[in-house]
Amino acid sequence: VSGGEHVDVIIGAAVADGQVTPKVQSLIKILLKYQHTEDFRAIIFVERVVAALVLPKVGGFISFLLFGLNVKFYLGRCSPGYLLSSFAFQTRDQVFAELPSLNFIKCASLIGHNNNQEMRTCQMQETIAKFRDGRVTLLVATSVAEEGLDIRQCNVVIRFDLAKTVLAYIQSRGRARKPGSDYILMLERGNLSHETFLRNARNSEETLRKEAIERTDLSHLKGNSRFISVDTAPGSIYQVESTGAVVSLNSAVGLIHFYCSQLPSDSLSWNAMRNLEVLLSTHASFNFLAMLHLKSSMVLYVVRCALPNRHANAVCLAACKKLHEMGAFTDMLLPDKGSSEEAEKVDLNEEEDPLPGTARHREFYPEGVAEILQGDWILIGRDGCNDSNLVKLYRYAINCVNTGASKDSFVTQVSDFAVLFGSELDAEVFSMTMDLFIARTMVSNVSLVFQGPIEITERELVSLKSFHVRLMSIVLDIDVEPSTTPWDPSKAYLFVPVVRQHLHLMEELDWDLVYKIIDTDAWKNPLQRARPDVYLGTNERTLGGDRREYGFGKLRYGMAFGQKSHPTYGIRGAIAQFDVVKASKLVPTRDIFESELNGVPPHGKLVMADSIIDANDLVGKIVTAAHSGKRFYIDSVRFDMNAENSFPRKEGYLGPLEYSSYAEYYKQKYGVQLLCKKQPLIRGRGVSYCKNLLSPRFESSEAAAGEAEDMLDKTYYVMLPPELCLVHPLPGSLVRGAQRLPSIMRRIESMLLAIQLKGLIGYPIPASKILEALTAASCQETFCYERAELLGDAYLKWVVSKFLFLKYPQKHEGQLTRMRQQMVSNMVLYQYALSKGLQSYIQADRFAPSRWAAPGVLPVFDEDTREVSSSLFGPECSDAEKEPSESSYSDGFEDDAMEDGEIESDSSCYRVLSSKTLADVVEALIGVYYVEGGKKAANHFMSWIGIPVDFSPQEVPPHCTVPDSIMRSVDFDALENALSIKFKNKGLLVEAITHASRPSSGVSCYQRLEFVGDAVLDHLITRHLFFAYTDLPPGRLTDLRAAAVNNENFARVAVKHKLHVHLRHGSSALETQIREFVKDVQDELSKPGFNSFGIGDCKAPKVLGDIVESIAGAIFLDNNLNTTIVWKVFQPLLNPMVTPETLPMHPVRELQERCQQQAEGLEYKAIRTGNIATVQVFIDGIQIGVAQNPQKKMAQKLAARNALVVLKEKEAESKEKCAEDGKKKNGIQTFTRQTLNDICLRRQWPMPQYRCVNEGGPAHAKRFTYSVRVNTTDRGWTDDCVGEPMPSVKKAKDSAAVILLELLNRWYGT
C-alpha cells in the first residue's frame, strides 16, 4: 500500500468523525512525498505557540498532528497539558504502528521569548544545533524562525498557517533557499481572502526582487535565468569558495557592525565603527582613502576606492576579507565565537535533566575492585576437598598501636587478626598507616605487616572460610550459612584469628578457636545467628519479619510453603511473648529449671537460658536475650541485686512507679515468669553495630567537650536476669576486634585501587597521594581531594590559557575565554574521567559497614535503614531499663546518626556519583601530580587523561613595533621602578596599560594580556597559599584564595603602587571613577592595620584590576614564559598577603551562616530608585538592616554588615538580661516546653497539646505558628495560646509555650 493511500485509510475515519481536519490530512500527504529525500530538513510555520510546544512533549510527530495543529479551537477551553494527557498519548502508538513510513521525521519545537512558555536562548541554540546535525529533521516554529537565527538550509518550508503580513511571508520564504527546495503555502480552497493575500504577496515579492537586483551585486549568480545579470566592478564582493558564503559592498558594513558587537567591551570601550566615520571625515578631501581600526587585530586597514560615496562599504569589505583570513570569521562569514578543534563537543541534556558536569547530574556506576584481589582459590571447597592439595596464600598481620588511653577496659580487650590474600600485595600497602577513631580519647594506628606465604590444605581452607563467614555474619549482622553463601572470585581474602607467639607461621593461626567456633551446635539456634530480633519480631523497623530479598526472608518464604509463621510477624510494634519462644524450644533448659532448681541457683553458678555456667566465666562474654533478641557484652555480675529489687524510674520521670520490681517488669512486658528470682542479675551493655572508624566521630570544641564531658562519657547499662540469656559462641574480644576489620579493609581496598590507577597513568608518585585525590569530602575521612583540586584547577587554567594565547595570536580575549571554557569545563572533564574509567576508583561516599561487601557475606538492604540506631539495645527497651553509671566510660560505640553517603542503590556493587565529582577528581589528580612531580608530572597526567594541550616548548609570538610617539608618552622609568623590573620588549608594557577606550595605531589594548596574566596570577597565588598553609582545611584555603585573587584586591594593589597613573585610556567617565576610587582607598589605608582584601566599602573600577593582570601577562611573555620571575615581581606588590588570621569573611556569607546555624529565616529585598539601589535585610520577617548604594551588590554587602552589628548588639543585651534573671539560656535554645512538661508531671496533668495554626511563606523563609493548651484537673482545658510566627516548628512551639506558662503563672503562681 502506498503512503498516500495508507493515510487515506487510517485518517479517513478520523476526518469523517470530525476529529481531524482535511488540512491535517493534506499535511501528512505532503510530508510523505519527502520520505526518500536525502538529508531531509523541513520547517513548518504555525501561528499558535501551543502548536509548536506540543511536539517534544508527545515524542512523535503524528500524534501531534492528530490532536491539533488546529488546536486553536481548544485554546479558550483547556491547557495544552490537558490536551496531551487526554488525547495525544492515546493515539501516538497506534498511529505510528500503522504509519511506519513517517518514522523519518524527528521533530522539535522552536518558539520565542515573549510568551508564557518561552524558550531560553541556550535551548533555542541547542534545538538549532540538533536541526543542523540531523538529530532533528523537522522544526515546528512560530515567527521566531522567520529571521535572525542561523538555521541551516531546508528541503521544504511549509506555512501551515498563512502569514499575517507580507514581510512574514517573504521572510519565511527565505528559509527555502537551498537549491531545489520547496516553499508550500496551505490555503483553504475557495477562501477569497487567502487568494487575495497570496496575489498581493507575489506582486510585492516581484517588486522587491527587481529592486534588490538593481542594488546588489549578483555576478556570482550569472547564468541563472531566474535573475537579471548586471556588470559589477572588480572587488565589490568577497566569496568563500568552500561554503559559497558571500559578502558584498552593501552587506559588509552591517557584518562589521555585527562583528564589533560581539567583541569583549564595556560602556567605556572605544567603538570601532564610530572611529571609522571620524577617519573618513578626516580624509574626505582624497575622495578615495578610508581607514578602519579594529581592536581585535589592531591592524589599520587602508583601502583605495574609486567610488566617492562607497568609502565605508569598501573599507568594511576589505576588513571582512582580512578577518576571514586571520580566522576571526568562520567560512560562513560569521564571527568566530571561539569554537575550535580542541573544544570538546558536549550535547546538552533536555530542559528537565541536569546538565553533565553539575552536582545535580548523578548516575549509577559500578564500584571498583582492585584486580590483585581476584582469586579463584576462594571457590575451593564448593565441589569437595582434597587433603593432599595445598593452597599457597600470603599472610598479612594487622598491627594496631593505640594512642591515648580510655577508662573503658573493653576498648583494649580485642583479639588480633590476620588477612590471607591469594597474591602478594604491592610494597606501598605496607608503608600505609591509617587511624581508627576507636574512642573519644584513643586512636588506633593500624598498618599491615607481611609475614610471608603459608600453605594450607583444602580442608583447612574450608574451615577458615566457615570461620570467616560465621564471624562476619555477626559483625555485619547478615544471616548467611557457610555452606550456602555465594563466593565471588573478584574479591578474595579471608580474616583469620591469630595468637601472639613467636613460633612457626602456621602455629600463629588460632586453629583451636577456629574449630571451636565452627563446630559448636549453638549456630543451630536462630537466636544465636544474625538478626535474632528479626526472628522474634521484636525489631520495630522490620515489623516482626525481614523484608530483605536474600538471607533473612526465611519467615516470609516459610509462610508461602505452609510453615507456621511467628505470631507477631507483620504486626507493627508487636512484642514477642516469651511463651512463644519457649514453645519454639529455643530455650530447652527452662523445663529442667522448673522441676529441679525450684528457683534456687547452685552456689557460684548462674542459671542461663540454655545452660548453667560459672559466674566468673560469664564476664567478658556475649549473651543473647531470648526475650528480645538483643545482644549484650557482660560487664559484671551484680551479686547485690536480684529480680526482686525495685525497678528504677525513668530518668527525669516524676510520676508514679510503673513496675515494682524487675520480675514484674518482665512479667508484664514480655509475659515471662522468672523462676530464679533470687539469683544475681547480670549487667550488660548493648553490642553495637559495626561502625565506620575512619571518620573522626568525636571531634568537638574544647568548650563543648568541657561542658558535656560527663554526659558524653556516660555508658548505659541494662540489668538482665541470667535465665533469659543465652551465651553466644563468639567471645566478646573477638567480636570487638572484628568490628575494626571492615574499616581497615575499606582503606586497603581503596589503596590497592590507587596503586592500580598509578600503574595505568605510568608516572611514579606516592599512591597515597593518588588515594587522596580520589577521596571526596563526603567520605568524611581525615583527607580529601579538595585542597589538591584547588591547586589543580589553577594549574589547568594556566596551562590551557598559555596554550591558547600562543596558538591563536589573532583571537581576541572573548574568543580565548570561550575556548578555554570549552576545554576545562566540568562537562568536558567529566567526559575525560569517564573515558579513562575513573568512576571505578573514586571514593565518594561515607563508609557504611552495613553496605560493605565482605567475601562470602554480601550486604542486603532493608526498606528502612537500620543504622538509625547503632546498638542492639533497641527502642523497645525502656529508659527505665537502662542504668546510667557515672563511673563508667564509653568505648566509643554510642549511638550515631544514620550514616550518610551517595550510595542510593540496593546493591553494594553500584553507587551514585555526581558528574561534578568526576570532574573534581580530574583537577585533584592534576594537583597531586603537580605537587609530587612538578610541571612534568602534571603535564604527563593531563596528556594521559586526554586534555589536548601541546606541552612542547612554544615560542612567544613577536609583537608589532610601537610608534615612537607613543613610546615617548609613557614614563617607563617610573613604571618599571614601581614594578622593580626592566622590560626587554617595552611594547608589551605599553599594551598592558592601554585600555580599549584609547585607540592607537599599532598598539593593541590589554585584553589578551589580561587573559593570560589572570591565569598566571591565579596559579602563582594558589600555589603560594597551598604550600604556605599545609594544614589549612580546604574550605579555609578556598576562602584565602578568593580573598587574594579577585579584581577588588588587585585594584587596591594598583592604587597602592600607583600603577593607575600610567593607564592609557580615552574616557572621562573612567577617569572620574578612578579618581573617586583612589580617594576611597586612601581613606581605607589611613586606618591603622586595615586591609579589606577586596571586601571594602567601595567598588573598584574593573580596569584597575585588569591592568594588574595584564602587567603580569606582559612580564610572563617578556621573560620567555618564566613564572618564577613573575612571582618575584608580584610577591612584594601583593604584600601584605592575606593569612588565615587576617582573612575577612564577607558580610553576606557571615550573615547567611549565622542564620542557618540558628534556624532563622533570612530574606533580602532590593528596590532601585533612579541610580540608587536600596537593600533591606529581614530576619524572621523583621527588618534588621538597610543600606543604599549605586551598585546593588555593594548595597547588599553594606546592609548585611549593618544587620550583623544590630544582631551582635541584641545578643549582648540578651546575655546581660539572662545573667540578671539567673535564667539558663544557650544561644537560641530555650527550655520553655520542658518547663511546661515538668509542671504537667508534677501536677499529674496530661501532656500539653500543640497544634499548627498556620504555615506559610516562601521556601527560603518559611513561617510556622503554633498554639498549645493543657487539660488541668481543676479548671479543665485552658484556652489555646497562640505563639508568634517563627522560622521553625521548635521555635513556634516554644513561643506558644511561653504564653501558656504566663497564663498558668497567673492561675497557680507556678
Short mmCIF file of all heavy atoms in Angstrom, two decimals, residues 300-339:
data_model
loop_
_atom_site.label_atom_id
_atom_site.label_comp_id
_atom_site.label_asym_id
_atom_site.label_seq_id
_atom_site.Cartn_x
_atom_site.Cartn_y
_atom_site.Cartn_z
N LEU A 300 45.59 48.46 10.93
CA LEU A 300 44.99 49.59 10.25
C LEU A 300 44.71 49.20 8.81
O LEU A 300 45.62 48.83 8.08
CB LEU A 300 45.93 50.81 10.28
CG LEU A 300 45.39 52.09 9.63
CD1 LEU A 300 44.21 52.61 10.43
CD2 LEU A 300 46.47 53.14 9.56
N TYR A 301 43.45 49.24 8.40
CA TYR A 301 43.08 48.89 7.04
C TYR A 301 42.99 50.17 6.22
O TYR A 301 42.21 51.07 6.53
CB TYR A 301 41.73 48.16 7.00
CG TYR A 301 41.73 46.90 7.82
CD1 TYR A 301 41.00 46.81 8.98
CD2 TYR A 301 42.48 45.82 7.40
CE1 TYR A 301 41.01 45.65 9.73
CE2 TYR A 301 42.50 44.66 8.14
CZ TYR A 301 41.77 44.58 9.30
OH TYR A 301 41.79 43.44 10.04
N VAL A 302 43.77 50.27 5.14
CA VAL A 302 43.74 51.41 4.23
C VAL A 302 43.24 50.91 2.89
O VAL A 302 43.84 50.01 2.29
CB VAL A 302 45.12 52.07 4.08
CG1 VAL A 302 45.04 53.26 3.14
CG2 VAL A 302 45.63 52.48 5.44
N VAL A 303 42.12 51.42 2.44
CA VAL A 303 41.50 50.94 1.22
C VAL A 303 41.31 52.11 0.26
O VAL A 303 40.80 53.16 0.64
CB VAL A 303 40.14 50.29 1.50
CG1 VAL A 303 39.50 49.81 0.22
CG2 VAL A 303 40.30 49.15 2.47
N ARG A 304 41.77 51.93 -0.99
CA ARG A 304 41.55 52.93 -2.02
C ARG A 304 40.30 52.54 -2.80
O ARG A 304 40.15 51.40 -3.21
CB ARG A 304 42.75 53.04 -2.94
CG ARG A 304 44.00 53.49 -2.18
CD ARG A 304 45.18 53.69 -3.12
NE ARG A 304 46.37 54.07 -2.37
CZ ARG A 304 46.64 55.30 -1.97
NH1 ARG A 304 45.81 56.27 -2.28
NH2 ARG A 304 47.74 55.58 -1.30
N CYS A 305 39.44 53.49 -3.02
CA CYS A 305 38.17 53.21 -3.68
C CYS A 305 37.87 54.30 -4.69
O CYS A 305 38.01 55.50 -4.39
CB CYS A 305 37.04 53.12 -2.65
SG CYS A 305 35.45 52.73 -3.38
N ALA A 306 37.49 53.90 -5.91
CA ALA A 306 37.20 54.87 -6.96
C ALA A 306 35.83 55.47 -6.81
O ALA A 306 35.51 56.46 -7.47
CB ALA A 306 37.32 54.20 -8.33
N LEU A 307 34.96 54.85 -5.96
CA LEU A 307 33.60 55.36 -5.80
C LEU A 307 33.58 56.38 -4.67
O LEU A 307 33.88 56.07 -3.53
CB LEU A 307 32.65 54.21 -5.48
CG LEU A 307 32.60 53.10 -6.55
CD1 LEU A 307 31.69 51.98 -6.10
CD2 LEU A 307 32.14 53.65 -7.89
N PRO A 308 33.26 57.60 -4.93
CA PRO A 308 33.38 58.65 -3.90
C PRO A 308 32.44 58.45 -2.73
O PRO A 308 32.71 58.93 -1.63
CB PRO A 308 33.04 59.93 -4.67
CG PRO A 308 32.23 59.48 -5.84
CD PRO A 308 32.76 58.14 -6.21
N ASN A 309 31.33 57.72 -2.91
CA ASN A 309 30.36 57.57 -1.82
C ASN A 309 30.35 56.16 -1.23
O ASN A 309 29.43 55.79 -0.54
CB ASN A 309 28.95 57.90 -2.34
CG ASN A 309 28.84 59.33 -2.79
OD1 ASN A 309 29.41 60.23 -2.18
ND2 ASN A 309 28.10 59.54 -3.90
N ARG A 310 31.38 55.35 -1.54
CA ARG A 310 31.40 53.97 -1.07
C ARG A 310 32.60 53.68 -0.18
O ARG A 310 33.04 52.54 -0.09
CB ARG A 310 31.40 53.00 -2.26
CG ARG A 310 30.30 53.24 -3.28
CD ARG A 310 28.92 53.03 -2.68
NE ARG A 310 28.66 51.66 -2.32
CZ ARG A 310 28.14 50.77 -3.17
NH1 ARG A 310 27.85 51.09 -4.40
NH2 ARG A 310 27.93 49.53 -2.78
N HIS A 311 33.15 54.75 0.48
CA HIS A 311 34.34 54.54 1.29
C HIS A 311 34.07 53.53 2.42
O HIS A 311 34.83 52.59 2.64
CB HIS A 311 34.84 55.85 1.90
CG HIS A 311 35.31 56.84 0.88
ND1 HIS A 311 34.48 57.80 0.36
CD2 HIS A 311 36.52 56.99 0.29
CE1 HIS A 311 35.16 58.53 -0.51
NE2 HIS A 311 36.40 58.06 -0.58
N ALA A 312 32.98 53.76 3.17
CA ALA A 312 32.68 52.88 4.30
C ALA A 312 32.45 51.45 3.84
O ALA A 312 32.93 50.49 4.45
CB ALA A 312 31.45 53.40 5.04
N ASN A 313 31.73 51.29 2.72
CA ASN A 313 31.46 49.94 2.22
C ASN A 313 32.76 49.24 1.83
O ASN A 313 32.98 48.06 2.12
CB ASN A 313 30.53 50.02 1.01
CG ASN A 313 29.25 50.75 1.32
OD1 ASN A 313 29.28 51.96 1.58
ND2 ASN A 313 28.12 50.06 1.30
N ALA A 314 33.63 49.99 1.13
CA ALA A 314 34.86 49.38 0.63
C ALA A 314 35.80 48.97 1.76
O ALA A 314 36.36 47.87 1.76
CB ALA A 314 35.56 50.35 -0.31
N VAL A 315 35.97 49.85 2.73
CA VAL A 315 36.88 49.51 3.82
C VAL A 315 36.32 48.36 4.66
O VAL A 315 37.07 47.51 5.14
CB VAL A 315 37.19 50.74 4.68
CG1 VAL A 315 35.99 51.13 5.54
CG2 VAL A 315 38.40 50.50 5.58
N CYS A 316 35.01 48.29 4.84
CA CYS A 316 34.42 47.20 5.61
C CYS A 316 34.51 45.87 4.85
O CYS A 316 34.70 44.82 5.45
CB CYS A 316 32.97 47.52 5.95
SG CYS A 316 32.77 48.83 7.16
N LEU A 317 34.36 45.93 3.51
CA LEU A 317 34.51 44.71 2.73
C LEU A 317 35.94 44.18 2.84
O LEU A 317 36.17 42.98 2.98
CB LEU A 317 34.15 44.97 1.27
CG LEU A 317 34.24 43.77 0.33
CD1 LEU A 317 33.30 42.67 0.78
CD2 LEU A 317 33.94 44.19 -1.10
N ALA A 318 36.91 45.09 2.76
CA ALA A 318 38.30 44.67 2.93
C ALA A 318 38.56 44.12 4.32
O ALA A 318 39.30 43.15 4.51
CB ALA A 318 39.23 45.85 2.65
N ALA A 319 37.92 44.72 5.32
CA ALA A 319 38.08 44.23 6.69
C ALA A 319 37.48 42.83 6.84
O ALA A 319 38.04 41.98 7.52
CB ALA A 319 37.42 45.20 7.67
N CYS A 320 36.34 42.59 6.18
CA CYS A 320 35.74 41.25 6.24
C CYS A 320 36.68 40.20 5.66
O CYS A 320 36.83 39.11 6.21
CB CYS A 320 34.41 41.24 5.48
SG CYS A 320 33.10 42.21 6.27
N LYS A 321 37.30 40.55 4.54
CA LYS A 321 38.23 39.62 3.91
C LYS A 321 39.41 39.34 4.84
O LYS A 321 39.81 38.18 5.03
CB LYS A 321 38.72 40.20 2.59
CG LYS A 321 39.74 39.33 1.87
CD LYS A 321 40.18 39.96 0.56
CE LYS A 321 41.21 39.08 -0.15
NZ LYS A 321 41.68 39.69 -1.41
N LYS A 322 39.95 40.41 5.45
CA LYS A 322 41.10 40.24 6.34
C LYS A 322 40.72 39.43 7.58
O LYS A 322 41.47 38.54 8.02
CB LYS A 322 41.62 41.62 6.75
CG LYS A 322 42.85 41.58 7.63
CD LYS A 322 44.06 41.05 6.88
CE LYS A 322 45.31 41.12 7.72
NZ LYS A 322 46.49 40.57 7.01
N LEU A 323 39.55 39.71 8.15
CA LEU A 323 39.11 38.99 9.34
C LEU A 323 38.90 37.51 9.04
O LEU A 323 39.18 36.65 9.89
CB LEU A 323 37.82 39.60 9.89
CG LEU A 323 37.97 40.99 10.52
CD1 LEU A 323 36.61 41.60 10.82
CD2 LEU A 323 38.79 40.91 11.80
N HIS A 324 38.43 37.19 7.86
CA HIS A 324 38.27 35.79 7.50
C HIS A 324 39.62 35.11 7.33
O HIS A 324 39.82 33.98 7.75
CB HIS A 324 37.45 35.66 6.21
CG HIS A 324 37.31 34.24 5.74
ND1 HIS A 324 37.98 33.76 4.63
CD2 HIS A 324 36.60 33.19 6.24
CE1 HIS A 324 37.69 32.48 4.47
NE2 HIS A 324 36.85 32.11 5.43
N GLU A 325 40.56 35.81 6.73
CA GLU A 325 41.89 35.23 6.52
C GLU A 325 42.59 34.96 7.83
O GLU A 325 43.33 33.98 7.97
CB GLU A 325 42.73 36.17 5.65
CG GLU A 325 42.23 36.26 4.20
CD GLU A 325 42.99 37.31 3.41
OE1 GLU A 325 43.75 38.10 4.05
OE2 GLU A 325 42.82 37.38 2.19
N MET A 326 42.39 35.81 8.86
CA MET A 326 43.05 35.59 10.13
C MET A 326 42.24 34.72 11.08
O MET A 326 42.68 34.43 12.19
CB MET A 326 43.38 36.90 10.85
CG MET A 326 42.54 38.07 10.54
SD MET A 326 43.09 39.55 11.36
CE MET A 326 42.20 39.44 12.83
N GLY A 327 41.07 34.24 10.65
CA GLY A 327 40.32 33.31 11.46
C GLY A 327 39.27 33.92 12.35
O GLY A 327 38.61 33.21 13.10
N ALA A 328 39.10 35.24 12.30
CA ALA A 328 38.08 35.89 13.13
C ALA A 328 36.69 35.61 12.59
O ALA A 328 35.71 35.67 13.35
CB ALA A 328 38.32 37.39 13.21
N PHE A 329 36.57 35.35 11.27
CA PHE A 329 35.32 34.94 10.66
C PHE A 329 35.41 33.47 10.29
O PHE A 329 36.47 33.00 9.85
CB PHE A 329 35.02 35.75 9.40
CG PHE A 329 34.42 37.10 9.66
CD1 PHE A 329 34.21 37.99 8.61
CD2 PHE A 329 34.06 37.50 10.93
CE1 PHE A 329 33.66 39.24 8.84
CE2 PHE A 329 33.52 38.74 11.18
CZ PHE A 329 33.30 39.62 10.12
N THR A 330 34.29 32.76 10.45
CA THR A 330 34.23 31.37 10.01
C THR A 330 34.05 31.34 8.50
O THR A 330 33.89 32.37 7.84
CB THR A 330 33.06 30.65 10.69
OG1 THR A 330 31.83 31.24 10.23
CG2 THR A 330 33.15 30.78 12.20
N ASP A 331 34.06 30.14 7.93
CA ASP A 331 33.85 30.01 6.49
C ASP A 331 32.44 30.38 6.08
O ASP A 331 32.16 30.52 4.89
CB ASP A 331 34.17 28.58 6.06
CG ASP A 331 35.67 28.29 6.07
OD1 ASP A 331 36.45 29.26 6.09
OD2 ASP A 331 36.05 27.11 6.07
N MET A 332 31.55 30.52 7.06
CA MET A 332 30.20 31.02 6.76
C MET A 332 30.14 32.53 6.89
O MET A 332 29.07 33.13 6.83
CB MET A 332 29.19 30.37 7.71
CG MET A 332 29.05 28.87 7.55
SD MET A 332 28.49 28.37 5.91
CE MET A 332 26.87 29.11 5.85
N LEU A 333 31.32 33.17 7.05
CA LEU A 333 31.43 34.63 7.20
C LEU A 333 30.60 35.13 8.38
O LEU A 333 29.87 36.12 8.30
CB LEU A 333 31.03 35.34 5.91
CG LEU A 333 32.00 35.15 4.73
CD1 LEU A 333 31.51 35.91 3.51
CD2 LEU A 333 33.41 35.59 5.10
N LEU A 334 30.72 34.40 9.48
CA LEU A 334 30.12 34.80 10.75
C LEU A 334 31.22 34.89 11.79
O LEU A 334 32.23 34.19 11.71
CB LEU A 334 29.06 33.78 11.19
CG LEU A 334 27.80 33.70 10.32
CD1 LEU A 334 26.94 32.53 10.77
CD2 LEU A 334 27.02 35.00 10.38
N PRO A 335 31.08 35.78 12.78
CA PRO A 335 32.13 35.91 13.80
C PRO A 335 32.37 34.58 14.51
O PRO A 335 31.42 33.86 14.88
CB PRO A 335 31.54 36.95 14.77
CG PRO A 335 30.58 37.73 13.96
CD PRO A 335 29.99 36.77 12.96
N ASP A 336 33.65 34.22 14.66
CA ASP A 336 34.03 33.00 15.35
C ASP A 336 33.88 33.23 16.85
O ASP A 336 34.54 34.09 17.42
CB ASP A 336 35.48 32.64 15.00
CG ASP A 336 35.91 31.34 15.66
OD1 ASP A 336 35.04 30.65 16.21
OD2 ASP A 336 37.11 31.04 15.61
N LYS A 337 33.01 32.44 17.47
CA LYS A 337 32.76 32.62 18.90
C LYS A 337 33.72 31.84 19.78
O LYS A 337 33.55 31.77 20.98
CB LYS A 337 31.32 32.22 19.22
CG LYS A 337 30.29 33.12 18.56
CD LYS A 337 28.89 32.76 19.01
CE LYS A 337 27.87 33.70 18.39
NZ LYS A 337 26.49 33.39 18.82
N GLY A 338 34.72 31.22 19.15
CA GLY A 338 35.73 30.57 19.98
C GLY A 338 35.76 29.08 19.88
O GLY A 338 36.60 28.44 20.49
N SER A 339 34.87 28.45 19.12
CA SER A 339 34.93 27.01 18.97
C SER A 339 36.14 26.65 18.15
O SER A 339 36.57 27.37 17.27
CB SER A 339 33.66 26.50 18.28
OG SER A 339 33.53 27.09 17.01
#
